[in-house]
Amino acid sequence: MRGAARVWALLGGHLQPTLTYWSVFFSFGLCLAFLGPTLLDLRCQTHSSLPQLTWVFFSQQFCLLLGSCLGGLFKRTLAQSLIALFASSLAISVVFAIIPLCHNVVLLAVVMAVAGLAMGCIDTIANMQLVKIYQKDSAVFLQALHFFVGFGALLSPLIADPFLSESNCIQSNATLNATSNLPHIRKSLVPHHPGNFSHYDLPMEGVVVTRVSYAFWIMALINLPVPIAVFFLLYKERLVPCLKSSSPPLLSADELAMETRPVERDTLSAGSRTAQPDGGHNDLFSCCQSKNFRGASYSYFAVHITGALVLFMTDGITGEYSGFIYSYAVEEPLSVGHKMAGYLPSLFWGFITLGRLISILVSYRMKPTTMVFINVVGVLVTFLLLLIFSHSVAFLFVGTACLGLFLSSTFPSMLAYTEDILQYKGCATTVLVTGAGFGEMTLQLLVGSIIHEQGSYSFLVCGMIFGGLAFTFYTFLLFFHRMHPKPSSDPDASPDKPTVTDDSGLYQQ
C-alpha cells in the first residue's frame, strides 16, 4: 500500500507532463502499425508494385532510427524538448491527413520518412523526460508509457479494417485471381519482405476503388488532441515563444521532483543550481565524443553496450515474430487455415499490450532487474517449448500469447535498470532506443532471408538463438553491474557519481 501511495503521490506532483508524454507515445503507436494492413490499398492508390512499396517501409524505419539517434539534440532545455514533441506529434496528424493525397510511391516514401523522423524523436524524448522527472521511481511510469504505444498500435489496424478493400482495389479485366487471395496476401506482407506474389495477378493499371482515405483522416483527427496537449504544457510552463513571460513558473519540473527527495534537495549547493549542461542523455553522436569518456570506467561502456544488445535481441524478436508468425503458421507442418492464422499477430500484440498494463501494477513491487530476468528467461523457455511442440496448433497460440507477455515489459524495465546503474549520467536512453530500433529492423531482414533459404522451421530456431543471446547479454550486464563503481557519498569523488538531477540546463527557458 505504501508503494502504491508513493506512486500516486509522485504522479499527482507531475500529472500534466506525465499524461502529455503518455499521449505523445500513443501517437507513436498509432503511426507504428497502420502501414502493413493498408499497404495493398496504398499500392492501388500509387499504382505501384509490392517490391516498390518496400521503399516506403524502409524510409519509415530508417528515418525512425535517425530520429531516435538525433532526438537527444532537443534535450538541453524543457522548451526544446516540448517544442520537438509538439512538432513531431503535429507532423503525425499532418502525415495521416496527406497520405490519401500521395498518388506517387516516391512522394509516399518521403511522407513516411517524415513520419519516421517524428516517431524517432518521440521515442527518445518521451522516454528521456520521464526518466529525468522520476529517476529511481521511473519504472512504473515507463511501463505505462509503453502501454500507450501498444494501445495505439492495437487501435490503428482496427480503425483501418472497415475501410480496407475486400476485392482488388484496381478494377481491371484480370482481377478475379487476386481478389480471391487478397486476405492471404495482406496478412503475408512483412516490412522489407513483401514475399513472392508474382503468381497472383495484382494489376497496376485500371480504375482505383478504395475507401482507405477515410481511415487515415479518422486517425488524423484522433491524434489531433495530442499536439494540443503538448501546446498546453508549453503554455503552462510559459515556454511558448511568442507568449513568454519575464517571470518563470513558481516551480519547474525538476524542482517538483526534488519535493519527493528532501534530503537530496537540502544538499544541493548554490553552485549546482546554476545553468550548466547535463552530463548525460545526449544524442547518439554527442554521446560518442571523447570528452564524455574522460575518467569513465570500462564498466560504464560495458553497461551501455550490453543493455543495448539485450534490447537489440528482444525488440528484434518482437519485429520478426509479429512479421513472420502468419507465414510460419500457414506453411507445413502446421498448415493452419488463412483465417485462423490471421488471428496470431493480433493475439501477439494484444498480449503485449495486456502485459504492459499488468506490468504497471507489478513494477512498483518488483525491481526492474528481476522483471528483465523473468522476461528473457520466459522468452527462451517459450521458444524452446514451441520447438518441442512444433506440430501443435494449440500450443502455437498459447506460445504466441506467452511470448507477447514476456516481451511486453522488457524495454521499459531494461531502460529503468540501466539508467539506475549509471545514476542517470550516461547516454543509456539514446543508446538503448537506437539499439532496439536497429534490432527490430535488422533481425527482421535476417530472419526473412533465412526463412527464404532454409524453410519455415528456421523461424523458431532463429527465435531460440536470439532468445539465448538476449539471456547471455543480460548475464554480462549483471556482471558489469557488479563491477561498476558504487556511488560515493562525496559528489566529487567519482566520474560515475550519482547526481541529483537538478538539470538547470534541461529546464532553463
Side-chain angles (χ1 to χ4, degrees), residues 111-234:
V111 169
M112 292 311 302
V114 173
L117 283 173
M119 293 164 66
C121 288
I122 287 172
D123 197 8
T124 298
I125 295 172
N127 279 294
M128 196 178 289
Q129 289 300 321
L130 276 185
V131 168
K132 282 186 172 294
I133 290 175
Y134 293 106
Q135 295 197 9
K136 289 183 180 296
D137 300 295
S138 61
V140 177
F141 304 98
L142 287 172
Q143 298 289 353
L145 182 74
H146 287 263
F147 163 76
F148 279 97
V149 71
F151 179 63
L154 199 62
L155 185 63
S156 57
L158 296 177
I159 295 171
D161 186 67
F163 302 99
L164 299 178
S165 301
E166 294 294 332
S167 60
N168 198 307
C169 46
I170 295 182
Q171 299 297 322
S172 70
N173 294 327
T175 58
L176 293 178
N177 182 46
T179 298
S180 61
N181 291 286
L182 205 63
H184 170 63
I185 298 173
R186 193 186 302 280
K187 292 168 185 173
S188 300
L189 285 169
V190 179
H192 321 298
H193 280 275
N196 180 18
F197 299 116
S198 57
H199 53 290
Y200 297 121
D201 187 7
L202 293 174
M204 296 174 60
E205 299 297 333
V207 179
V208 176
V209 181
T210 176
R211 299 184 302 140
V212 77
S213 300
Y214 297 109
F216 291 118
W217 290 330
I218 290 171
M219 285 188 277
L221 289 173
I222 289 175
N223 185 71
L224 198 56
V226 176
I228 295 173
V230 180
F231 180 82
F232 277 134
L233 183 58
L234 275 165

Side-chain angles (χ1 to χ4, degrees), residues 349-433:
W349 282 109
F351 271 82
I352 284 180
T353 306
L354 177 63
R356 287 171 176 168
L357 183 62
I358 295 171
S359 297
I360 298 172
L361 305 175
V362 173
S363 56
Y364 72 84
R365 295 181 178 273
M366 188 179 293
K367 293 181 178 179
T369 177
T370 306
M371 294 184 69
V372 177
F373 176 77
I374 293 172
N375 289 335
V376 294
V377 171
V379 168
L380 186 59
V381 171
T382 301
F383 270 115
L384 178 61
L385 293 175
L386 282 170
L387 280 169
I388 293 172
F389 300 103
S390 58
H391 289 76
S392 170
V393 175
F395 193 81
L396 179 64
F397 278 82
V398 173
T400 297
C402 292
L403 202 60
L405 284 175
F406 287 125
L407 287 168
S408 61
S409 62
T410 305
F411 185 97
S413 300
M414 177 60 71
L415 180 57
Y417 175 43
T418 309
E419 286 283 13
D420 192 39
I421 296 173
L422 298 172
Q423 295 295 308
Y424 312 94
K425 289 206 67 186
C427 302
T429 301
T430 303
V431 172
L432 265 60
V433 168

